[in-house]
């Protein structure tokens, strides 16, 4: 199986997060999957890189991962990904082309899933979620800012092993996004005992200073982050709902 | 003839290089950053403390740097100082992120320009046996850069985009369980930086012509790295202009808009000069002027990684166990936050009015290095490319090697420029 990892209008933090994955690691997955196009991790450059992109699409046996939102202003001119056959190729054109033959399409990160910070007001580049520019395609949505590399790696390995992936109505895998952060939060007993923190850094429940754990579906409390040691609430800060559809269009830090 | 190289791969974000070539020699070069989001605009009217978390989203590979510059800008605005312990923890977070980047950049982005990794792609000058040794370390580097982000997340909760750095200090309270994990991680990283230096020296030996290629002109500035913890300072702030070291004066900093059909990088200048920023600038400011070249830039990066790993080990021992400090009482005003980071000098400037962000301006390291021609003066990377002899026009690997030595990040570099007469940047400067 081949894989195209297209970085569109975003911070490229999702590919960095994916490089951080552990068990299965990026190196382990690379033995099973051939990454034929990735701006961050491919040897060819320029037209040769674009040729690899088009060749993969033509071959047809590939997974398409898109991170970043898709800039649509002036036909996508606010995000050009390469130059091929004497013209510039926009991310908007590239996702339309690559989505045609893809075996699976995955939105990696909140910008690709829902627009995220790249599409937040005033959205000068008129960036949109991937699903808005390729409306009739089945997309597996892996939100997060960035999506944890471990979550991505588990999805890719499961797809390669032909495991059934059950999705919720928004297109998110239920094994990852089936519960809220609040459901499994390590500070749940503080919430139940009405011990609320007055500011970040204090020990307590962060509900009154902006925590959106109760409305955020993500597995952070039990998968944790890098090296399974910590996660945002584990370092005494609130969940900012980075996997949510409306992230970051609300105040992250609230005063009690 | 004109050659368009797009995309330049093995970097963060989308960079296009347009070359004018005559008899295999580059006679003109243009740098184009082809993505745009408009962070300065999306911050307007937001809660000021949100800026520390949101500006990190500018960049997935150097996010912690933005949290440091942003929190400093807010703290400057509210005229508050943070404790020594908070400074230490912030520098540890930043240090782990720098190591993550330097290891990742050297092996994943730069090494494949000089030796074959994952199959035969280039005619490497490095003998097969040594090539195999570097190749093994290329595989290992995946583990070590991951480990550096693991170290960061002990203090920051997650990486990229940490939660630990907030207004008035840091949220994490280090306990001994976490301390002991961080100690071994930083030791492991220090050991690996020695391996990285060995591998660099091999490449240097076989590619010494790159000592001559990629000269930006050698004017350097730094905004200071770990300058707030004097015993661990990597580099003080300063400007090395025409080989003369002077104090940094932010009044000399200007940012110009450049009209371009597809590019969104503007042109920051210091005393109206394009300046190079990054590890080589820091090394020059720290220990005397060094010639700007492709190899010197890579060398400065790998040696700096070792220096940072050493400092990290020392700083960890001084962190006060079970202590943190955060604040919420910000006030209206204007604030500037600067720091040197992975790729060089980073500037954040905030104006708060009625308890909301009224204006925000960001100048990033890659905006300095990748800046376009302004007033007929070439930007640093553009200048570094001009004059380069290209052996095979169909595979201008010389150009790729020079470009990679800057560790470009275009997600960072693209900020407000005017577009089709529509002025997106008010070009304000708000130094007090």
């Amino acid at each position: 199986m081949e894989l195209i990892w297209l970085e569109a209008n975003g911070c490229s933090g999702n590919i960095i997060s994916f490089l951080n994955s552990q068990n299965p690691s990026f190196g382990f997955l690379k033995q099973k999957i051939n990454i034929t196009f990735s701006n961050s991790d491919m040897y060819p450059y320029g037209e040769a890189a674009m040729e690899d992109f088009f060749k993969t699409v033509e071959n047809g046996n590939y997974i398409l991962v898109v991170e970043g939102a898709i800039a649509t202003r002036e036909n996508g001119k606010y995000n050009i990904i390469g130059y091929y056959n004497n013209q510039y190729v926009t991310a908007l054109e590239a996702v339309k082309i690559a989505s045609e033959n893809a075996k699976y399409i995955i939105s990696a990160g909140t910008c690709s899933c829902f627009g995220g910070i790249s599409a937040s007001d005033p959205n000068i580049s008129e960036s949109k979620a991937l699903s808005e520019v390729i409306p009739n395609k089945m997309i597996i949505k892996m939100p997060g800012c960035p999506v944890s590399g471990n979550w991505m790696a588990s999805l890719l390995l499961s797809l390669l092993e032909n495991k059934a992936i059950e999705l919720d109505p928004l297109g998110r895998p239920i094994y990852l996004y089936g519960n809220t952060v609040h459901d499994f939060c390590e500070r749940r007993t503080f919430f139940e005992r009405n011990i609320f923190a007055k500011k970040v850094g204090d020990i307590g429940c962060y509900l009154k200073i902006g925590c959106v754990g109760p409305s955020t579906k993500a597995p952070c409390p039990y998968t944790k982050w890098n090296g399974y040691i910590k996660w945002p609430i584990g370092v005494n800060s609130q969940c900012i709902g980075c996997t949510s559809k409306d992230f970051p269009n609300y105040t992250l830090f609230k005063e009690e | 003839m004109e050659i368009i190289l797009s995309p330049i791969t093995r970097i963060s974000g989308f960079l296009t290089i347009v070359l004018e070539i005559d008899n295999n020699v580059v006679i003109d070069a243009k740098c184009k950053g082809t993505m745009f989001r408009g962070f300065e605009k999306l911050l307007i009217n937001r809660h000021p403390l949100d800026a520390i978390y949101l500006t990190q989203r500018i960049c997935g590979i150097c996010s912690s740097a933005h949290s440091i510059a942003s929190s400093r800008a807010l703290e400057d605005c509210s005229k508050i100082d943070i404790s020594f312990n908070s400074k230490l923890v912030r520098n540890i977070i930043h240090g782990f992120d720098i190591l993550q980047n330097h290891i990742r950049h050297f092996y994943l982005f730069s090494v494949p320009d000089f030796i074959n990794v994952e199959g035969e792609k280039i005619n490497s000058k490095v003998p097969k046996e040594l090539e195999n040794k570097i190749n093994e370390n290329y595989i290992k580097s995946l583990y070590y850069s991951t480990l550096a982000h693991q170290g960061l997340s002990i203090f920051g909760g997650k990486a990229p985009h940490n939660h630990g750095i907030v207004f008035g200090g840091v949220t994490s309270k280090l306990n001994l369980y976490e301390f002991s994990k961080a100690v071994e991680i930083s030791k492991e990283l220090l050991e690996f930086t020695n391996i990285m230096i060995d591998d660099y020296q091999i490449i240097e030996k076989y590619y010494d012509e790159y000592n001559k290629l990629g000269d930006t002109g050698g004017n350097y500035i730094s905004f200071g790295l770990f300058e707030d913890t004097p015993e661990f300072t990597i580099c003080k702030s300063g400007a090395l202009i025409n080989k003369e070291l002077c104090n940094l004066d932010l009044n000399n900093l200007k940012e110009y808009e450049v009209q371009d059909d597809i590019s969104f990088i503007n042109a920051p200048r210091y005393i109206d000069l394009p300046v190079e920023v990054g590890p080589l600038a820091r090394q020059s400011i720290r220990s005397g002027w060094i010639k700007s070249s492709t190899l010197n830039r890579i060398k400065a990066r790998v040696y700096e990684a070792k220096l940072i790993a050493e400092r990290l080990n020392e700083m960890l021992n001084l962190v006060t166990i079970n202590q943190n400090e955060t604040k919420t009482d910000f006030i209206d005003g204007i604030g500037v936050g600067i720091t040197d980071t992975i790729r060089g000098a980073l500037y954040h400037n905030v104006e708060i009015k009625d308890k909301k962000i009224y204006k925000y301006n960001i100048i990033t390291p890659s905006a300095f290095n990748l800046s376009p021609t302004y007033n007929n003066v070439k930007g640093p990377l553009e200048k570094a490319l001009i004059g380069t002899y290209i052996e095979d026009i169909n595979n201008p690997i010389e150009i790729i090697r020079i470009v990679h030595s800057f560790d470009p990040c275009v997600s960072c570099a693209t900020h407000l420029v005017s577009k089709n007469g529509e002025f997106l940047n008010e070009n304000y400067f708000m130094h007090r």
Side-chain angles (χ1 to χ4, degrees):
Chain A
M1 182 81 80
E2 297 187 324
L3 186 139
I4 293 176
W5 188 299
L6 204 64
E7 293 165 40
N9 211 15
C11 70
S12 296
N14 294 286
I15 184 88
I16 296 296
S17 187
F18 182 49
L19 290 171
N20 280 341
S21 67
Q22 289 163 289
N23 318 108
S25 66
F26 177 75
F28 181 79
L29 281 167
K30 263 184 98 165
Q31 293 165 15
K32 296 173 176 290
I33 202 161
N34 181 14
I35 302 178
T36 54
F37 185 87
S38 156
N39 199 65
S40 293
D41 182 48
M42 74 187 295
Y43 177 75
Y45 55 88
E47 295 233 30
M50 294 309 293
E51 203 159 295
D52 283 358
F53 171 81
F54 288 107
K55 228 189 274 167
T56 308
V57 173
E58 209 179 293
N59 290 345
N61 186 30
Y62 63 97
I63 297 172
L64 170 66
V65 178
V66 178
E67 75 165 281
I70 312 300
T72 64
R73 186 165 173 184
E74 290 181 46
N75 296 316
K77 217 173 159 186
Y78 279 59
N79 184 196
I80 287 165
I81 68 148
Y83 186 78
Y84 191 67
N85 277 345
N86 301 318
Q87 52 189 350
Y88 284 107
V89 180
T90 65
L92 180 63
E93 290 166 313
V95 296
K96 284 182 177 168
I97 294 164
S99 62
E100 281 308 315
N101 289 343
K103 200 165 169 197
Y104 301 106
I105 304 173
I106 303 169
S107 269
T110 299
C111 290
S112 178
C113 290
F114 307 123
I117 194 159
S118 295
S120 69
D121 194 47
N123 196 2
I124 295 164
S125 58
E126 292 167 18
S127 284
K128 290 182 174 168
L130 178 67
S131 56
E132 289 179 85
V133 298
I134 49 163
N136 299 314
K137 297 282 179 189
M138 217 287 278
I139 300 171
I140 302 175
K141 289 184 180 163
M142 296 285 283
C145 193
V147 58
S148 159
N150 289 344
W151 310 345
M152 260 319 277
S154 75
L155 175 73
L156 288 174
L157 189 68
S158 303
L159 290 174
L160 291 174
E161 301 291 337
N162 291 314
K163 299 287 179 204
I165 311 283
E166 202 187 335
L167 303 179
D168 73 5
L170 284 180
R172 300 173 294 191
I174 288 172
Y175 81 93
L176 290 168
Y177 301 93
N179 286 93
T180 68
V181 166
H182 193 60
D183 285 343
F184 291 98
C185 182
E186 65 186 41
R187 299 286 168 90
R188 186 59 182 257
T189 60
F190 289 85
F191 168 77
E192 273 151 14
R193 288 181 288 151
N194 284 321
I195 302 170
F196 293 102
K198 288 192 173 8
K199 58 181 175 53
V200 286
D202 293 353
I203 304 296
C205 170
Y206 301 113
L207 194 67
K208 293 193 172 170
I209 54 167
C211 184
V212 289
S215 58
T216 303
K217 289 192 162 178
C220 300
Y222 48 91
T223 64
K224 302 239 165 68
W225 276 73
N226 322 61
Y228 330 109
I229 303 167
K230 286 289 182 182
W231 64 301
I233 290 174
V235 294
N236 313 317
S237 78
Q238 78 280 36
C239 165
I240 59 172
C242 76
T243 58
S244 296
K245 200 167 189 285
D246 53 349
F247 177 77
N249 302 317
Y250 45 82
T251 301
L252 310 182
F253 286 86
K254 289 204 179 88
E255 278 147 73
E256 200 201 4
Chain B
M1 69 180 284
E2 188 186 70
I3 295 185
I4 296 174
L5 297 175
S6 174
I8 301 289
T9 50
R10 284 179 284 126
I11 65 162
S12 269
F14 295 96
L15 179 64
T16 293
I17 300 285
V18 180
L19 301 172
E20 191 57 40
I21 293 177
D22 187 28
N23 276 329
N24 288 46
V25 174
V26 177
I27 55 168
D28 193 18
K30 292 192 186 94
C31 245
K32 291 167 190 278
T34 63
M35 58 189 296
F36 186 76
R37 287 167 294 164
F39 261 82
E40 284 95 338
K41 289 285 182 193
L42 69 84
L43 291 167
I44 290 170
N45 282 331
R46 300 235 16 165
H47 190 282
L49 304 193
D50 289 2
I52 300 171
Y53 283 1
L54 292 179
T55 55
Q56 292 190 66
R57 269 87 185 160
I58 290 169
C59 180
I61 198 161
C62 63
S63 52
S64 64
H66 288 285
S67 64
I68 286 174
S70 182
S71 54
R72 284 184 181 171
L74 292 168
E75 287 150 9
D76 182 41
C77 178
S78 290
K79 298 175 185 65
I80 62 166
D81 201 11
I82 62 167
S83 70
F84 180 73
N85 194 55
S86 293
K87 289 173 184 169
L88 268 185
V89 172
R90 284 184 182 181
N91 289 344
I92 289 168
I93 289 176
H94 197 186
F96 275 124
D97 217 4
I98 296 171
L99 283 175
Q100 170 266 147
N101 181 84
H102 284 7
I103 294 170
R104 210 157 247 165
H105 180 270
F106 179 68
Y107 284 103
L108 245 51
F109 295 172
S110 209
V111 156
D113 290 339
F114 300 98
I115 71 147
N116 284 294
V117 295
E118 301 173 325
E120 292 295 321
K121 284 152 186 154
I122 59 168
N123 293 320
S124 179
K125 292 176 151 192
V126 176
K128 200 79 219 150
E129 197 185 299
L130 293 172
E131 212 181 357
N132 289 343
K133 167 185 135 45
I134 299 177
N135 217 325
E136 277 169 30
N137 295 331
Y138 168 88
I139 304 289
K140 283 184 196 159
S141 76
L142 286 170
Y143 165 77
Y144 286 99
S145 50
T146 297
L147 191 66
H149 260 174
Q150 189 174 320
L152 191 166
S153 86
I154 291 173
F155 299 86
K158 74 191 250 285
H161 309 333
N162 83 83
H163 277 233
I165 295 174
V166 295
F167 181 66
V170 292
T171 62
S172 57
K173 287 182 177 179
L174 190 71
N175 66 33
L176 292 174
Y177 175 77
E178 294 151 7
F179 167 76
S180 55
K181 283 196 179 297
V183 165
E184 194 191 346
I185 289 172
S186 63
K187 281 262 158 32
E188 273 190 72
L189 289 167
L190 177 58
E191 279 161 28
F192 191 67
T193 58
N194 286 320
I195 291 171
M196 187 156 80
I197 288 172
D198 277 357
D199 287 347
Y200 163 75
Q201 285 170 341
I202 293 168
I203 289 170
E204 181 189 62
K205 190 174 161 197
Y206 292 94
Y207 285 94
D208 62 343
E209 69 271 28
Y210 283 87
N211 271 320
K212 296 193 193 83
L213 299 177
D215 186 353
T216 64
N219 285 325
Y220 304 117
I221 63 165
S222 164
F223 287 173
L225 185 57
F226 303 169
E227 209 174 3
D228 56 349
T229 52
E231 54 272 63
F232 305 112
T233 299
I234 300 287
C235 178
K236 289 184 178 173
S237 61
L240 194 52
I241 307 291
N242 298 325
K243 302 187 187 176
E244 212 163 295
L245 186 63
C246 343
N247 288 334
L248 179 77
D249 180 358
L250 287 180
N251 292 311
N252 291 330
L253 191 62
K254 294 257 159 56
E255 198 180 10
Y256 299 105
E257 294 174 338
V258 175
Q259 298 266 355
D260 188 284
D261 195 35
I262 59 165
S263 180
F264 295 92
I265 308 179
N266 53 10
R269 296 289 185 259
Y270 189 79
I271 339 182
D272 270 342
L273 290 168
V275 284
E276 179 177 344
V277 296
L280 177 58
R282 286 196 281 273
Q283 202 195 331
S284 291
I285 288 168
R286 184 171 61 238
S287 54
W289 185 84
I290 300 164
K291 181 182 152 55
S292 166
S293 79
T294 306
L295 280 182
N296 280 342
R297 260 187 296 282
I298 303 173
K299 185 179 186 176
R301 189 172 297 115
V302 298
Y303 279 84
E304 183 180 80
K306 184 179 176 179
L307 191 59
I308 284 174
E310 285 168 352
R311 296 280 194 271
L312 207 52
N313 279 275
E314 295 158 13
M315 287 192 288
L316 270 173
N317 271 316
L318 285 188
V319 174
T320 311
I321 298 300
N322 208 25
Q323 194 184 82
N324 72 358
E325 170 199 38
T326 67
K327 291 195 168 74
T328 53
D329 48 342
F330 63 91
I331 56 170
D332 284 3
I334 291 170
V336 173
I338 60 169
T339 181
D340 237 53
T341 179
I342 294 166
R343 296 172 176 76
L346 175 64
Y347 170 98
H348 277 224
N349 183 189
V350 67
E351 183 171 353
I352 301 172
K353 235 186 213 179
D354 302 326
K355 301 250 160 184
K356 282 180 178 165
I357 294 172
Y358 181 68
K359 279 179 180 172
Y360 210 100
N361 191 28
I362 301 151
I363 303 175
T364 61
S366 287
F368 283 107
N369 285 338
L370 309 184
S371 68
T373 308
Y374 179 75
N375 243 345
N376 295 319
V377 179
K378 289 277 154 192
L381 172 55
E382 292 178 339
K383 186 169 182 204
L385 295 174
I386 293 170
T388 307
Y389 176 81
I390 299 171
E391 203 170 290
D392 176 5
I393 298 289
N394 295 314
N395 181 21
I397 181 74
E398 298 86 350
I399 299 302
I400 300 299
R401 287 172 180 149
I402 296 170
V403 173
H404 280 157
S405 71
F406 286 87
D407 190 4
C409 175
V410 185
S411 332
C412 275
T414 48
H415 282 275
L416 297 179
V417 291
S418 58
K419 174 91 179 155
N420 301 334
E422 179 197 347
F423 287 91
L424 303 174
N425 190 353
E426 289 98 324
N427 227 348
Y428 45 80
F429 265 79
M430 301 175 288
H431 305 299
R432 286 170 290 174

